[in-house]
Amino acid sequence: MARRPGAPAAYGEDFSFINPLVKYLLFFFNMLFWVISMVMVGVGVYARLMKHAEAALASLAVDPAILLIVVGILMFLLTFCGCIGSLRENICLLQTFSLCLTIVFLLQLAAGVLGFVFSDKARGKVNEIINNAIVHYRDDLDLQNLIDFGQKKFSCCGGISYKDWSQNMYFNCSEDNPSRERCSVPYSCCLPTPNQAVINTMCGQGMQALDYLEASKVIYTNGCIDRLVNWIHSNLFLLGGVALGLAIPQLVGILLSMILVNQIKDQIKLQLYNQQHRADPWY
């Protein structure tokens, strides 16, 4: 039978605008990060439970376990929307996933731009974070290991200088400090000794009482902030690659979700058209 002039092209009953490749690619893409998010939450919760409650609360703002849990939960919720939305062809969940992923991407981009433009303020914020970490150095084993790793990796000590360690109650140089580590610095500040079989954890004893020239014979006297800035300047291509590696999956997720949403909308329009014109003799 002839088709009514101006009517949309006829499609078979089995025709679908939804591309299975797009649908299941988006599903497995989200499934991968969904599993990663659950692992992150599990590791974060385990690390949190293994700590003493008092120490955990004292260093709440800088606790790596808390950061891992928060990021894991947000990633879990986001990828859950993507998984279920793509599998069930749910426009609401897919649009939520796409919107949230776009917001995350724009926030990361804005943070990078603002950090570059307001580098002095960013430097001050980093210094504040490092000082806070120094204060809670002995309160949190994870934080302690992280600081020790950073100081050995960048060959530095403290934020601005090695004397920043006086902010810690155990390393404070005040006369009324009864700690055996008074006026000292952590062993991770010490210069490496060739062929050393056993690490001397007391190598930083009394180093804050010495001037820069004398202390530099035993420990790193430069602060970690300057070392970090120099490292960033020396590894811009590496950091650019990491940023690109983070941006590409996000952009792929946004693109696939938008394509799938448009395909679902076209499929809904086709179904409505077929229902409305099924009884039409000219259809």
Side-chain angles (χ1 to χ4, degrees):
M1 182 175 292
R3 182 168 56 90
R4 176 189 302 172
Y11 294 98
E13 291 294 331
D14 297 331
F15 177 83
S16 175
F17 280 106
I18 300 173
N19 189 329
L21 178 62
V22 174
K23 174 179 177 179
Y24 289 106
L25 185 60
L26 182 60
F27 171 75
F28 287 113
F29 172 84
N30 281 280
M31 177 62 73
L32 173 62
F33 287 97
W34 193 34
V35 172
I36 292 174
S37 69
M38 288 190 288
V39 172
M40 290 173 62
V41 172
V43 171
V45 170
Y46 175 79
R48 189 71 176 171
L49 293 176
M50 290 297 102
K51 298 177 182 178
H52 298 294
E54 298 83 3
L57 290 174
S59 59
L60 184 63
V62 291
D63 190 355
I66 286 292
L67 182 62
L68 203 61
I69 293 172
V70 171
V71 173
I73 290 176
L74 292 177
M75 187 185 296
F76 177 87
L77 295 174
L78 185 59
T79 51
F80 176 81
C81 290
C83 275
I84 304 302
S86 58
L87 191 63
R88 302 298 299 173
E89 300 174 8
N90 188 297
I91 292 178
C92 181
L93 289 177
L94 286 172
Q95 288 179 333
T96 301
F97 168 76
S98 178
L99 177 62
C100 292
L101 203 56
T102 302
I103 292 174
V104 170
F105 176 77
L106 292 177
L107 287 176
Q108 292 174 347
L109 185 62
V113 172
L114 291 175
F116 179 78
V117 174
F118 301 102
S119 56
D120 291 338
K121 291 185 178 180
R123 184 189 180 97
K125 185 62 178 178
V126 171
N127 186 42
E128 181 183 334
I129 293 173
I130 291 177
N131 288 336
N132 192 27
I134 288 175
V135 170
H136 298 293
Y137 175 76
R138 291 296 189 200
D139 301 336
D140 188 336
L141 184 59
D142 289 341
L143 180 62
Q144 180 176 318
N145 292 333
L146 183 63
I147 293 174
D148 287 336
F149 172 79
Q151 292 192 144
K152 288 187 287 187
K153 173 69 176 177
F154 295 107
S155 302
C156 59
C157 187
I160 304 297
S161 75
Y162 66 101
K163 294 193 176 183
D164 288 341
W165 280 101
S166 191
Q167 299 177 72
N168 185 280
M169 61 182 296
Y170 299 99
F171 299 109
N172 189 276
C173 285
S174 59
E175 293 293 339
D176 58 347
N177 184 8
S179 172
R180 295 176 59 186
E181 297 179 307
R182 176 182 170 273
C183 231
S184 302
V185 294
Y187 79 94
S188 55
C189 289
C190 297
L191 297 173
T193 303
N195 302 322
Q196 185 180 32
V198 179
I199 297 176
N200 179 14
T201 57
M202 301 301 292
C203 59
Q205 191 73 26
M207 287 296 110
Q208 291 188 62
L210 304 179
D211 60 28
Y212 278 82
L213 187 59
E214 293 179 336
S216 62
K217 298 176 182 178
V218 183
I219 64 172
Y220 302 115
T221 53
N222 291 325
C224 291
I225 294 179
D226 289 334
R227 291 287 188 178
L228 180 61
V229 170
N230 292 337
W231 183 87
I232 290 174
H233 288 162
S234 303
N235 294 272
L236 289 176
F237 286 108
L238 175 62
L239 294 175
V242 172
L244 189 63
L246 292 174
I248 287 177
Q250 296 176 30
L251 293 174
V252 168
I254 294 170
L255 180 63
L256 289 176
S257 60
M258 292 177 65
I259 291 174
L260 187 56
V261 165
N262 288 330
Q263 290 179 347
I264 294 171
K265 288 181 177 179
D266 289 339
Q267 183 65 21
I268 291 174
K269 291 179 181 178
L270 176 62
Q271 291 174 349
L272 291 175
Y273 178 83
N274 288 339
Q275 290 175 1
Q276 292 173 358
H277 297 80
R278 190 162 293 159
D280 192 336
W282 289 96
Y283 177 67

